[in-house]
PDB file of all heavy atoms in Angstrom:
ATOM      1  N   VAL A 527     -89.780 -80.449  55.775  1.00 96.00           N
ATOM      2  CA  VAL A 527     -89.228 -81.786  55.476  1.00 96.00           C
ATOM      3  C   VAL A 527     -89.049 -82.540  56.814  1.00 96.00           C
ATOM      4  O   VAL A 527     -89.215 -81.984  57.907  1.00 96.00           O
ATOM      5  CB  VAL A 527     -87.868 -81.751  54.774  1.00 96.00           C
ATOM      6  CG1 VAL A 527     -87.971 -81.025  53.409  1.00 96.00           C
ATOM      7  CG2 VAL A 527     -86.828 -81.068  55.646  1.00 96.00           C
ATOM      8  N   SER A 528     -88.678 -83.814  56.692  1.00 96.00           N
ATOM      9  CA  SER A 528     -88.411 -84.645  57.879  1.00 96.00           C
ATOM     10  C   SER A 528     -87.023 -85.234  57.714  1.00 96.00           C
ATOM     11  O   SER A 528     -86.721 -85.786  56.643  1.00 96.00           O
ATOM     12  CB  SER A 528     -89.472 -85.753  57.965  1.00 96.00           C
ATOM     13  OG  SER A 528     -89.200 -86.558  59.061  1.00 96.00           O
ATOM     14  N   GLY A 529     -86.208 -85.105  58.754  1.00 96.00           N
ATOM     15  CA  GLY A 529     -84.873 -85.679  58.729  1.00 96.00           C
ATOM     16  C   GLY A 529     -83.882 -84.820  59.483  1.00 96.00           C
ATOM     17  O   GLY A 529     -84.237 -84.114  60.394  1.00 96.00           O
ATOM     18  N   ILE A 530     -82.643 -84.906  59.069  1.00 97.00           N
ATOM     19  CA  ILE A 530     -81.535 -84.118  59.675  1.00 97.00           C
ATOM     20  C   ILE A 530     -81.228 -82.995  58.649  1.00 97.00           C
ATOM     21  O   ILE A 530     -80.769 -83.266  57.558  1.00 97.00           O
ATOM     22  CB  ILE A 530     -80.275 -84.967  59.887  1.00 97.00           C
ATOM     23  CG1 ILE A 530     -80.624 -86.196  60.801  1.00 97.00           C
ATOM     24  CG2 ILE A 530     -79.171 -84.120  60.499  1.00 97.00           C
ATOM     25  CD1 ILE A 530     -80.987 -85.847  62.190  1.00 97.00           C
ATOM     26  N   VAL A 531     -81.516 -81.762  59.047  1.00 98.00           N
ATOM     27  CA  VAL A 531     -81.333 -80.597  58.159  1.00 98.00           C
ATOM     28  C   VAL A 531     -80.086 -79.812  58.507  1.00 98.00           C
ATOM     29  O   VAL A 531     -79.834 -79.514  59.672  1.00 98.00           O
ATOM     30  CB  VAL A 531     -82.591 -79.672  58.299  1.00 98.00           C
ATOM     31  CG1 VAL A 531     -82.443 -78.529  57.300  1.00 98.00           C
ATOM     32  CG2 VAL A 531     -83.904 -80.434  57.996  1.00 98.00           C
ATOM     33  N   ILE A 532     -79.307 -79.552  57.488  1.00 98.00           N
ATOM     34  CA  ILE A 532     -78.055 -78.775  57.615  1.00 98.00           C
ATOM     35  C   ILE A 532     -78.277 -77.430  57.013  1.00 98.00           C
ATOM     36  O   ILE A 532     -78.641 -77.301  55.848  1.00 98.00           O
ATOM     37  CB  ILE A 532     -76.885 -79.481  56.875  1.00 98.00           C
ATOM     38  CG1 ILE A 532     -76.637 -80.869  57.409  1.00 98.00           C
ATOM     39  CG2 ILE A 532     -75.608 -78.583  56.956  1.00 98.00           C
ATOM     40  CD1 ILE A 532     -75.712 -81.695  56.447  1.00 98.00           C
ATOM     41  N   GLY A 533     -77.964 -76.383  57.816  1.00 97.00           N
ATOM     42  CA  GLY A 533     -78.034 -74.995  57.295  1.00 97.00           C
ATOM     43  C   GLY A 533     -76.720 -74.364  57.491  1.00 97.00           C
ATOM     44  O   GLY A 533     -75.964 -74.653  58.453  1.00 97.00           O
ATOM     45  N   ALA A 534     -76.384 -73.440  56.585  1.00 96.00           N
ATOM     46  CA  ALA A 534     -75.076 -72.719  56.706  1.00 96.00           C
ATOM     47  C   ALA A 534     -75.189 -71.339  56.127  1.00 96.00           C
ATOM     48  O   ALA A 534     -76.005 -71.091  55.226  1.00 96.00           O
ATOM     49  CB  ALA A 534     -73.989 -73.513  55.983  1.00 96.00           C
ATOM     50  N   ASP A 535     -74.378 -70.424  56.658  1.00 94.00           N
ATOM     51  CA  ASP A 535     -74.279 -69.095  56.094  1.00 94.00           C
ATOM     52  C   ASP A 535     -72.867 -68.574  56.278  1.00 94.00           C
ATOM     53  O   ASP A 535     -72.321 -68.679  57.390  1.00 94.00           O
ATOM     54  CB  ASP A 535     -75.296 -68.104  56.794  1.00 94.00           C
ATOM     55  CG  ASP A 535     -75.392 -66.859  55.952  1.00 94.00           C
ATOM     56  OD1 ASP A 535     -76.120 -66.874  54.925  1.00 94.00           O
ATOM     57  OD2 ASP A 535     -74.742 -65.856  56.291  1.00 94.00           O
ATOM     58  N   THR A 536     -72.318 -68.061  55.213  1.00 91.00           N
ATOM     59  CA  THR A 536     -70.934 -67.640  55.188  1.00 91.00           C
ATOM     60  C   THR A 536     -70.863 -66.141  54.997  1.00 91.00           C
ATOM     61  O   THR A 536     -71.525 -65.583  54.100  1.00 91.00           O
ATOM     62  CB  THR A 536     -70.155 -68.353  54.050  1.00 91.00           C
ATOM     63  OG1 THR A 536     -70.248 -69.751  54.277  1.00 91.00           O
ATOM     64  CG2 THR A 536     -68.683 -67.941  54.013  1.00 91.00           C
ATOM     65  N   LEU A 537     -70.005 -65.471  55.794  1.00 90.00           N
ATOM     66  CA  LEU A 537     -69.801 -64.039  55.695  1.00 90.00           C
ATOM     67  C   LEU A 537     -68.301 -63.717  55.723  1.00 90.00           C
ATOM     68  O   LEU A 537     -67.554 -64.360  56.446  1.00 90.00           O
ATOM     69  CB  LEU A 537     -70.439 -63.327  56.915  1.00 90.00           C
ATOM     70  CG  LEU A 537     -71.945 -63.434  57.092  1.00 90.00           C
ATOM     71  CD1 LEU A 537     -72.347 -62.822  58.411  1.00 90.00           C
ATOM     72  CD2 LEU A 537     -72.707 -62.782  55.932  1.00 90.00           C
ATOM     73  N   ALA A 538     -67.920 -62.741  54.897  1.00 89.00           N
ATOM     74  CA  ALA A 538     -66.582 -62.187  55.077  1.00 89.00           C
ATOM     75  C   ALA A 538     -66.687 -61.126  56.136  1.00 89.00           C
ATOM     76  O   ALA A 538     -67.724 -60.492  56.291  1.00 89.00           O
ATOM     77  CB  ALA A 538     -66.117 -61.555  53.755  1.00 89.00           C
ATOM     78  N   VAL A 539     -65.639 -60.953  56.975  1.00 92.00           N
ATOM     79  CA  VAL A 539     -65.683 -60.054  58.063  1.00 92.00           C
ATOM     80  C   VAL A 539     -64.425 -59.177  57.976  1.00 92.00           C
ATOM     81  O   VAL A 539     -63.299 -59.658  58.004  1.00 92.00           O
ATOM     82  CB  VAL A 539     -65.671 -60.770  59.448  1.00 92.00           C
ATOM     83  CG1 VAL A 539     -65.724 -59.788  60.566  1.00 92.00           C
ATOM     84  CG2 VAL A 539     -66.846 -61.756  59.537  1.00 92.00           C
ATOM     85  N   TYR A 540     -64.646 -57.859  57.896  1.00 92.00           N
ATOM     86  CA  TYR A 540     -63.522 -56.903  57.885  1.00 92.00           C
ATOM     87  C   TYR A 540     -63.810 -55.836  58.927  1.00 92.00           C
ATOM     88  O   TYR A 540     -64.848 -55.187  58.917  1.00 92.00           O
ATOM     89  CB  TYR A 540     -63.383 -56.280  56.483  1.00 92.00           C
ATOM     90  CG  TYR A 540     -62.255 -55.293  56.384  1.00 92.00           C
ATOM     91  CD1 TYR A 540     -60.935 -55.670  56.644  1.00 92.00           C
ATOM     92  CD2 TYR A 540     -62.505 -53.955  56.110  1.00 92.00           C
ATOM     93  CE1 TYR A 540     -59.894 -54.752  56.540  1.00 92.00           C
ATOM     94  CE2 TYR A 540     -61.497 -53.042  56.017  1.00 92.00           C
ATOM     95  CZ  TYR A 540     -60.184 -53.409  56.242  1.00 92.00           C
ATOM     96  OH  TYR A 540     -59.157 -52.558  56.209  1.00 92.00           O
ATOM     97  N   ARG A 541     -62.863 -55.664  59.806  1.00 91.00           N
ATOM     98  CA  ARG A 541     -62.988 -54.699  60.928  1.00 91.00           C
ATOM     99  C   ARG A 541     -64.303 -54.887  61.688  1.00 91.00           C
ATOM    100  O   ARG A 541     -65.006 -53.930  61.934  1.00 91.00           O
ATOM    101  CB  ARG A 541     -62.838 -53.294  60.427  1.00 91.00           C
ATOM    102  CG  ARG A 541     -61.431 -52.978  59.913  1.00 91.00           C
ATOM    103  CD  ARG A 541     -61.258 -51.552  59.563  1.00 91.00           C
ATOM    104  NE  ARG A 541     -59.891 -51.289  59.218  1.00 91.00           N
ATOM    105  CZ  ARG A 541     -59.479 -50.226  58.551  1.00 91.00           C
ATOM    106  NH1 ARG A 541     -60.350 -49.278  58.232  1.00 91.00           N
ATOM    107  NH2 ARG A 541     -58.233 -50.053  58.290  1.00 91.00           N
ATOM    108  N   GLU A 542     -64.616 -56.156  61.941  1.00 88.00           N
ATOM    109  CA  GLU A 542     -65.817 -56.582  62.710  1.00 88.00           C
ATOM    110  C   GLU A 542     -67.104 -56.210  61.975  1.00 88.00           C
ATOM    111  O   GLU A 542     -68.175 -56.149  62.581  1.00 88.00           O
ATOM    112  CB  GLU A 542     -65.825 -56.063  64.092  1.00 88.00           C
ATOM    113  CG  GLU A 542     -64.708 -56.666  64.985  1.00 88.00           C
ATOM    114  CD  GLU A 542     -64.699 -58.206  64.946  1.00 88.00           C
ATOM    115  OE1 GLU A 542     -65.776 -58.835  65.160  1.00 88.00           O
ATOM    116  OE2 GLU A 542     -63.647 -58.782  64.637  1.00 88.00           O
ATOM    117  N   GLN A 543     -67.018 -55.912  60.662  1.00 88.00           N
ATOM    118  CA  GLN A 543     -68.201 -55.648  59.885  1.00 88.00           C
ATOM    119  C   GLN A 543     -68.499 -56.839  58.975  1.00 88.00           C
ATOM    120  O   GLN A 543     -67.585 -57.299  58.277  1.00 88.00           O
ATOM    121  CB  GLN A 543     -68.005 -54.378  59.010  1.00 88.00           C
ATOM    122  CG  GLN A 543     -69.166 -54.008  58.173  1.00 88.00           C
ATOM    123  CD  GLN A 543     -68.889 -52.878  57.241  1.00 88.00           C
ATOM    124  OE1 GLN A 543     -67.847 -52.230  57.298  1.00 88.00           O
ATOM    125  NE2 GLN A 543     -69.815 -52.643  56.323  1.00 88.00           N
ATOM    126  N   ALA A 544     -69.693 -57.345  58.998  1.00 87.00           N
ATOM    127  CA  ALA A 544     -70.114 -58.491  58.157  1.00 87.00           C
ATOM    128  C   ALA A 544     -70.289 -58.031  56.728  1.00 87.00           C
ATOM    129  O   ALA A 544     -70.961 -57.033  56.467  1.00 87.00           O
ATOM    130  CB  ALA A 544     -71.392 -59.065  58.692  1.00 87.00           C
ATOM    131  N   LEU A 545     -69.710 -58.781  55.823  1.00 83.00           N
ATOM    132  CA  LEU A 545     -69.859 -58.530  54.415  1.00 83.00           C
ATOM    133  C   LEU A 545     -70.511 -59.742  53.787  1.00 83.00           C
ATOM    134  O   LEU A 545     -69.916 -60.773  53.675  1.00 83.00           O
ATOM    135  CB  LEU A 545     -68.491 -58.267  53.728  1.00 83.00           C
ATOM    136  CG  LEU A 545     -67.640 -57.129  54.282  1.00 83.00           C
ATOM    137  CD1 LEU A 545     -66.305 -57.081  53.592  1.00 83.00           C
ATOM    138  CD2 LEU A 545     -68.404 -55.790  54.160  1.00 83.00           C
ATOM    139  N   GLY A 546     -71.748 -59.615  53.397  1.00 78.00           N
ATOM    140  CA  GLY A 546     -72.466 -60.754  52.795  1.00 78.00           C
ATOM    141  C   GLY A 546     -72.261 -60.777  51.288  1.00 78.00           C
ATOM    142  O   GLY A 546     -71.204 -60.371  50.792  1.00 78.00           O
ATOM    143  N   LYS A 547     -73.270 -61.239  50.568  1.00 80.00           N
ATOM    144  CA  LYS A 547     -73.187 -61.263  49.107  1.00 80.00           C
ATOM    145  C   LYS A 547     -73.479 -59.886  48.545  1.00 80.00           C
ATOM    146  O   LYS A 547     -74.519 -59.323  48.879  1.00 80.00           O
ATOM    147  CB  LYS A 547     -74.245 -62.267  48.558  1.00 80.00           C
ATOM    148  CG  LYS A 547     -73.973 -63.692  49.053  1.00 80.00           C
ATOM    149  CD  LYS A 547     -75.112 -64.579  48.601  1.00 80.00           C
ATOM    150  CE  LYS A 547     -74.912 -65.961  49.216  1.00 80.00           C
ATOM    151  NZ  LYS A 547     -76.193 -66.670  49.366  1.00 80.00           N
ATOM    152  N   PRO A 548     -72.587 -59.360  47.752  1.00 83.00           N
ATOM    153  CA  PRO A 548     -72.788 -57.965  47.255  1.00 83.00           C
ATOM    154  C   PRO A 548     -74.030 -57.826  46.385  1.00 83.00           C
ATOM    155  O   PRO A 548     -74.712 -56.827  46.434  1.00 83.00           O
ATOM    156  CB  PRO A 548     -71.532 -57.662  46.459  1.00 83.00           C
ATOM    157  CG  PRO A 548     -70.720 -58.843  46.462  1.00 83.00           C
ATOM    158  CD  PRO A 548     -71.310 -59.918  47.342  1.00 83.00           C
ATOM    159  N   GLY A 549     -74.344 -58.845  45.607  1.00 82.00           N
ATOM    160  CA  GLY A 549     -75.546 -58.815  44.771  1.00 82.00           C
ATOM    161  C   GLY A 549     -75.412 -58.210  43.381  1.00 82.00           C
ATOM    162  O   GLY A 549     -76.189 -58.525  42.492  1.00 82.00           O
ATOM    163  N   ASN A 550     -74.443 -57.315  43.249  1.00 87.00           N
ATOM    164  CA  ASN A 550     -74.210 -56.750  41.908  1.00 87.00           C
ATOM    165  C   ASN A 550     -72.714 -56.309  41.786  1.00 87.00           C
ATOM    166  O   ASN A 550     -72.061 -56.189  42.822  1.00 87.00           O
ATOM    167  CB  ASN A 550     -75.160 -55.523  41.647  1.00 87.00           C
ATOM    168  CG  ASN A 550     -74.925 -54.420  42.609  1.00 87.00           C
ATOM    169  OD1 ASN A 550     -73.836 -53.847  42.667  1.00 87.00           O
ATOM    170  ND2 ASN A 550     -75.942 -54.054  43.366  1.00 87.00           N
ATOM    171  N   PRO A 551     -72.268 -56.178  40.569  1.00 87.00           N
ATOM    172  CA  PRO A 551     -70.816 -55.838  40.400  1.00 87.00           C
ATOM    173  C   PRO A 551     -70.324 -54.568  41.080  1.00 87.00           C
ATOM    174  O   PRO A 551     -69.242 -54.529  41.557  1.00 87.00           O
ATOM    175  CB  PRO A 551     -70.644 -55.782  38.881  1.00 87.00           C
ATOM    176  CG  PRO A 551     -71.739 -56.664  38.334  1.00 87.00           C
ATOM    177  CD  PRO A 551     -72.869 -56.472  39.286  1.00 87.00           C
ATOM    178  N   ALA A 552     -71.177 -53.538  41.125  1.00 90.00           N
ATOM    179  CA  ALA A 552     -70.754 -52.279  41.774  1.00 90.00           C
ATOM    180  C   ALA A 552     -70.566 -52.475  43.259  1.00 90.00           C
ATOM    181  O   ALA A 552     -69.523 -52.052  43.824  1.00 90.00           O
ATOM    182  CB  ALA A 552     -71.818 -51.185  41.502  1.00 90.00           C
ATOM    183  N   ALA A 553     -71.446 -53.198  43.897  1.00 89.00           N
ATOM    184  CA  ALA A 553     -71.326 -53.492  45.321  1.00 89.00           C
ATOM    185  C   ALA A 553     -70.120 -54.425  45.582  1.00 89.00           C
ATOM    186  O   ALA A 553     -69.363 -54.301  46.537  1.00 89.00           O
ATOM    187  CB  ALA A 553     -72.607 -54.095  45.900  1.00 89.00           C
ATOM    188  N   ALA A 554     -69.915 -55.411  44.679  1.00 87.00           N
ATOM    189  CA  ALA A 554     -68.784 -56.331  44.808  1.00 87.00           C
ATOM    190  C   ALA A 554     -67.480 -55.524  44.683  1.00 87.00           C
ATOM    191  O   ALA A 554     -66.547 -55.784  45.429  1.00 87.00           O
ATOM    192  CB  ALA A 554     -68.848 -57.384  43.697  1.00 87.00           C
ATOM    193  N   GLU A 555     -67.412 -54.576  43.767  1.00 90.00           N
ATOM    194  CA  GLU A 555     -66.181 -53.809  43.623  1.00 90.00           C
ATOM    195  C   GLU A 555     -65.897 -52.996  44.884  1.00 90.00           C
ATOM    196  O   GLU A 555     -64.731 -52.966  45.336  1.00 90.00           O
ATOM    197  CB  GLU A 555     -66.291 -52.850  42.413  1.00 90.00           C
ATOM    198  CG  GLU A 555     -65.017 -52.068  42.126  1.00 90.00           C
ATOM    199  CD  GLU A 555     -65.142 -51.191  40.862  1.00 90.00           C
ATOM    200  OE1 GLU A 555     -66.163 -51.238  40.152  1.00 90.00           O
ATOM    201  OE2 GLU A 555     -64.164 -50.461  40.624  1.00 90.00           O
ATOM    202  N   LYS A 556     -66.909 -52.444  45.478  1.00 91.00           N
ATOM    203  CA  LYS A 556     -66.708 -51.663  46.699  1.00 91.00           C
ATOM    204  C   LYS A 556     -66.194 -52.581  47.848  1.00 91.00           C
ATOM    205  O   LYS A 556     -65.258 -52.208  48.534  1.00 91.00           O
ATOM    206  CB  LYS A 556     -68.078 -51.074  47.150  1.00 91.00           C
ATOM    207  CG  LYS A 556     -67.980 -50.160  48.322  1.00 91.00           C
ATOM    208  CD  LYS A 556     -69.363 -49.568  48.636  1.00 91.00           C
ATOM    209  CE  LYS A 556     -69.308 -48.796  49.957  1.00 91.00           C
ATOM    210  NZ  LYS A 556     -70.570 -48.311  50.383  1.00 91.00           N
ATOM    211  N   MET A 557     -66.764 -53.795  47.946  1.00 89.00           N
ATOM    212  CA  MET A 557     -66.304 -54.787  48.964  1.00 89.00           C
ATOM    213  C   MET A 557     -64.849 -55.196  48.687  1.00 89.00           C
ATOM    214  O   MET A 557     -64.025 -55.245  49.590  1.00 89.00           O
ATOM    215  CB  MET A 557     -67.166 -56.019  48.980  1.00 89.00           C
ATOM    216  CG  MET A 557     -68.396 -55.883  49.815  1.00 89.00           C
ATOM    217  SD  MET A 557     -69.223 -57.485  49.919  1.00 89.00           S
ATOM    218  CE  MET A 557     -70.784 -56.961  50.519  1.00 89.00           C
ATOM    219  N   LEU A 558     -64.540 -55.514  47.429  1.00 90.00           N
ATOM    220  CA  LEU A 558     -63.180 -55.958  47.100  1.00 90.00           C
ATOM    221  C   LEU A 558     -62.171 -54.887  47.333  1.00 90.00           C
ATOM    222  O   LEU A 558     -61.023 -55.186  47.757  1.00 90.00           O
ATOM    223  CB  LEU A 558     -63.166 -56.440  45.622  1.00 90.00           C
ATOM    224  CG  LEU A 558     -63.880 -57.748  45.358  1.00 90.00           C
ATOM    225  CD1 LEU A 558     -64.070 -57.994  43.841  1.00 90.00           C
ATOM    226  CD2 LEU A 558     -63.180 -58.946  46.010  1.00 90.00           C
ATOM    227  N   LEU A 559     -62.522 -53.617  47.089  1.00 91.00           N
ATOM    228  CA  LEU A 559     -61.586 -52.499  47.335  1.00 91.00           C
ATOM    229  C   LEU A 559     -61.346 -52.397  48.862  1.00 91.00           C
ATOM    230  O   LEU A 559     -60.212 -52.129  49.285  1.00 91.00           O
ATOM    231  CB  LEU A 559     -62.157 -51.180  46.813  1.00 91.00           C
ATOM    232  CG  LEU A 559     -62.051 -51.037  45.294  1.00 91.00           C
ATOM    233  CD1 LEU A 559     -62.845 -49.847  44.811  1.00 91.00           C
ATOM    234  CD2 LEU A 559     -60.578 -50.928  44.850  1.00 91.00           C
ATOM    235  N   GLN A 560     -62.377 -52.717  49.675  1.00 91.00           N
ATOM    236  CA  GLN A 560     -62.216 -52.685  51.131  1.00 91.00           C
ATOM    237  C   GLN A 560     -61.274 -53.835  51.583  1.00 91.00           C
ATOM    238  O   GLN A 560     -60.448 -53.603  52.435  1.00 91.00           O
ATOM    239  CB  GLN A 560     -63.576 -52.988  51.815  1.00 91.00           C
ATOM    240  CG  GLN A 560     -64.246 -51.845  52.390  1.00 91.00           C
ATOM    241  CD  GLN A 560     -65.467 -52.288  53.165  1.00 91.00           C
ATOM    242  OE1 GLN A 560     -66.335 -52.997  52.638  1.00 91.00           O
ATOM    243  NE2 GLN A 560     -65.563 -51.883  54.436  1.00 91.00           N
ATOM    244  N   LEU A 561     -61.411 -54.990  50.962  1.00 91.00           N
ATOM    245  CA  LEU A 561     -60.627 -56.162  51.377  1.00 91.00           C
ATOM    246  C   LEU A 561     -59.254 -56.222  50.742  1.00 91.00           C
ATOM    247  O   LEU A 561     -58.383 -57.034  51.114  1.00 91.00           O
ATOM    248  CB  LEU A 561     -61.395 -57.468  50.992  1.00 91.00           C
ATOM    249  CG  LEU A 561     -62.753 -57.631  51.719  1.00 91.00           C
ATOM    250  CD1 LEU A 561     -63.481 -58.845  51.160  1.00 91.00           C
ATOM    251  CD2 LEU A 561     -62.570 -57.712  53.204  1.00 91.00           C
ATOM    252  N   ASN A 562     -59.006 -55.430  49.701  1.00 93.00           N
ATOM    253  CA  ASN A 562     -57.775 -55.464  48.937  1.00 93.00           C
ATOM    254  C   ASN A 562     -56.566 -55.217  49.813  1.00 93.00           C
ATOM    255  O   ASN A 562     -56.441 -54.241  50.535  1.00 93.00           O
ATOM    256  CB  ASN A 562     -57.881 -54.346  47.869  1.00 93.00           C
ATOM    257  CG  ASN A 562     -56.800 -54.454  46.778  1.00 93.00           C
ATOM    258  OD1 ASN A 562     -56.258 -55.532  46.557  1.00 93.00           O
ATOM    259  ND2 ASN A 562     -56.554 -53.382  46.078  1.00 93.00           N
ATOM    260  N   GLY A 563     -55.651 -56.207  49.850  1.00 94.00           N
ATOM    261  CA  GLY A 563     -54.434 -56.088  50.635  1.00 94.00           C
ATOM    262  C   GLY A 563     -54.581 -56.255  52.107  1.00 94.00           C
ATOM    263  O   GLY A 563     -53.645 -55.895  52.878  1.00 94.00           O
ATOM    264  N   THR A 564     -55.712 -56.726  52.577  1.00 95.00           N
ATOM    265  CA  THR A 564     -55.983 -56.832  54.035  1.00 95.00           C
ATOM    266  C   THR A 564     -55.800 -58.223  54.541  1.00 95.00           C
ATOM    267  O   THR A 564     -55.701 -59.204  53.799  1.00 95.00           O
ATOM    268  CB  THR A 564     -57.419 -56.386  54.373  1.00 95.00           C
ATOM    269  OG1 THR A 564     -58.320 -57.370  53.815  1.00 95.00           O
ATOM    270  CG2 THR A 564     -57.738 -55.004  53.810  1.00 95.00           C
ATOM    271  N   VAL A 565     -55.846 -58.321  55.871  1.00 96.00           N
ATOM    272  CA  VAL A 565     -56.045 -59.591  56.521  1.00 96.00           C
ATOM    273  C   VAL A 565     -57.440 -59.506  57.140  1.00 96.00           C
ATOM    274  O   VAL A 565     -57.745 -58.574  57.837  1.00 96.00           O
ATOM    275  CB  VAL A 565     -55.002 -59.852  57.659  1.00 96.00           C
ATOM    276  CG1 VAL A 565     -55.314 -61.100  58.435  1.00 96.00           C
ATOM    277  CG2 VAL A 565     -53.601 -59.887  57.066  1.00 96.00           C
ATOM    278  N   HIS A 566     -58.317 -60.456  56.764  1.00 94.00           N
ATOM    279  CA  HIS A 566     -59.686 -60.395  57.216  1.00 94.00           C
ATOM    280  C   HIS A 566     -60.139 -61.856  57.535  1.00 94.00           C
ATOM    281  O   HIS A 566     -59.364 -62.779  57.347  1.00 94.00           O
ATOM    282  CB  HIS A 566     -60.605 -59.708  56.250  1.00 94.00           C
ATOM    283  CG  HIS A 566     -60.699 -60.388  54.885  1.00 94.00           C
ATOM    284  ND1 HIS A 566     -59.725 -60.195  53.921  1.00 94.00           N
ATOM    285  CD2 HIS A 566     -61.558 -61.228  54.351  1.00 94.00           C
ATOM    286  CE1 HIS A 566     -60.046 -60.900  52.850  1.00 94.00           C
ATOM    287  NE2 HIS A 566     -61.144 -61.549  53.107  1.00 94.00           N
ATOM    288  N   LYS A 567     -61.334 -62.022  57.970  1.00 95.00           N
ATOM    289  CA  LYS A 567     -61.893 -63.325  58.346  1.00 95.00           C
ATOM    290  C   LYS A 567     -63.024 -63.723  57.427  1.00 95.00           C
ATOM    291  O   LYS A 567     -63.699 -62.873  56.870  1.00 95.00           O
ATOM    292  CB  LYS A 567     -62.428 -63.351  59.760  1.00 95.00           C
ATOM    293  CG  LYS A 567     -61.438 -63.161  60.856  1.00 95.00           C
ATOM    294  CD  LYS A 567     -62.049 -63.425  62.239  1.00 95.00           C
ATOM    295  CE  LYS A 567     -63.175 -62.448  62.612  1.00 95.00           C
ATOM    296  NZ  LYS A 567     -63.548 -62.453  64.000  1.00 95.00           N
ATOM    297  N   VAL A 568     -63.193 -65.044  57.337  1.00 93.00           N
ATOM    298  CA  VAL A 568     -64.438 -65.576  56.767  1.00 93.00           C
ATOM    299  C   VAL A 568     -65.035 -66.504  57.839  1.00 93.00           C
ATOM    300  O   VAL A 568     -64.331 -67.349  58.396  1.00 93.00           O
ATOM    301  CB  VAL A 568     -64.181 -66.374  55.446  1.00 93.00           C
ATOM    302  CG1 VAL A 568     -65.417 -67.168  55.038  1.00 93.00           C
ATOM    303  CG2 VAL A 568     -63.746 -65.439  54.338  1.00 93.00           C
ATOM    304  N   VAL A 569     -66.317 -66.249  58.205  1.00 95.00           N
ATOM    305  CA  VAL A 569     -66.981 -67.058  59.183  1.00 95.00           C
ATOM    306  C   VAL A 569     -68.170 -67.807  58.550  1.00 95.00           C
ATOM    307  O   VAL A 569     -68.820 -67.217  57.666  1.00 95.00           O
ATOM    308  CB  VAL A 569     -67.482 -66.249  60.414  1.00 95.00           C
ATOM    309  CG1 VAL A 569     -66.289 -65.660  61.171  1.00 95.00           C
ATOM    310  CG2 VAL A 569     -68.464 -65.154  60.034  1.00 95.00           C
ATOM    311  N   THR A 570     -68.333 -69.039  58.920  1.00 96.00           N
ATOM    312  CA  THR A 570     -69.515 -69.791  58.488  1.00 96.00           C
ATOM    313  C   THR A 570     -70.249 -70.320  59.710  1.00 96.00           C
ATOM    314  O   THR A 570     -69.719 -71.040  60.518  1.00 96.00           O
ATOM    315  CB  THR A 570     -69.117 -70.938  57.581  1.00 96.00           C
ATOM    316  OG1 THR A 570     -68.448 -70.433  56.440  1.00 96.00           O
ATOM    317  CG2 THR A 570     -70.375 -71.690  57.070  1.00 96.00           C
ATOM    318  N   GLY A 571     -71.512 -69.910  59.821  1.00 97.00           N
ATOM    319  CA  GLY A 571     -72.363 -70.476  60.838  1.00 97.00           C
ATOM    320  C   GLY A 571     -72.983 -71.754  60.296  1.00 97.00           C
ATOM    321  O   GLY A 571     -73.483 -71.737  59.159  1.00 97.00           O
ATOM    322  N   ILE A 572     -72.943 -72.823  61.048  1.00 97.00           N
ATOM    323  CA  ILE A 572     -73.606 -74.072  60.621  1.00 97.00           C
ATOM    324  C   ILE A 572     -74.550 -74.509  61.756  1.00 97.00           C
ATOM    325  O   ILE A 572     -74.215 -74.460  62.946  1.00 97.00           O
ATOM    326  CB  ILE A 572     -72.648 -75.199  60.268  1.00 97.00           C
ATOM    327  CG1 ILE A 572     -71.587 -75.444  61.328  1.00 97.00           C
ATOM    328  CG2 ILE A 572     -71.993 -74.955  58.901  1.00 97.00           C
ATOM    329  CD1 ILE A 572     -70.769 -76.685  61.126  1.00 97.00           C
ATOM    330  N   THR A 573     -75.733 -74.986  61.345  1.00 98.00           N
ATOM    331  CA  THR A 573     -76.667 -75.564  62.287  1.00 98.00           C
ATOM    332  C   THR A 573     -77.191 -76.877  61.713  1.00 98.00           C
ATOM    333  O   THR A 573     -77.300 -77.037  60.517  1.00 98.00           O
ATOM    334  CB  THR A 573     -77.876 -74.591  62.519  1.00 98.00           C
ATOM    335  OG1 THR A 573     -78.410 -74.220  61.255  1.00 98.00           O
ATOM    336  CG2 THR A 573     -77.439 -73.349  63.254  1.00 98.00           C
TER     337      THR A 573
END
């Protein structure tokens, strides 16, 4: 395309490990159990 292009990607971060999109409920459950009761980060890269 031609113009001003905005791109972004968001990750949850727990103990410096990137958690992307789980893709299925079993993987989501595993991630949610990791994040359950924690303090963690969400980072979004934008270009």
Side-chain angles (χ1 to χ4, degrees):
V527 300
S528 179
I530 304 295
V531 182
I532 301 166
D535 193 78
T536 302
L537 299 172
V539 180
Y540 179 61
R541 293 186 174 164
E542 293 309 307
Q543 180 187 351
L545 303 176
K547 298 172 185 155
N550 63 60
E555 184 175 357
K556 185 178 173 187
M557 276 187 195
L558 289 168
L559 285 169
Q560 257 188 306
L561 298 174
N562 195 20
T564 68
V565 175
H566 62 279
K567 292 188 299 192
V568 170
V569 296
T570 300
I572 52 169
T573 53

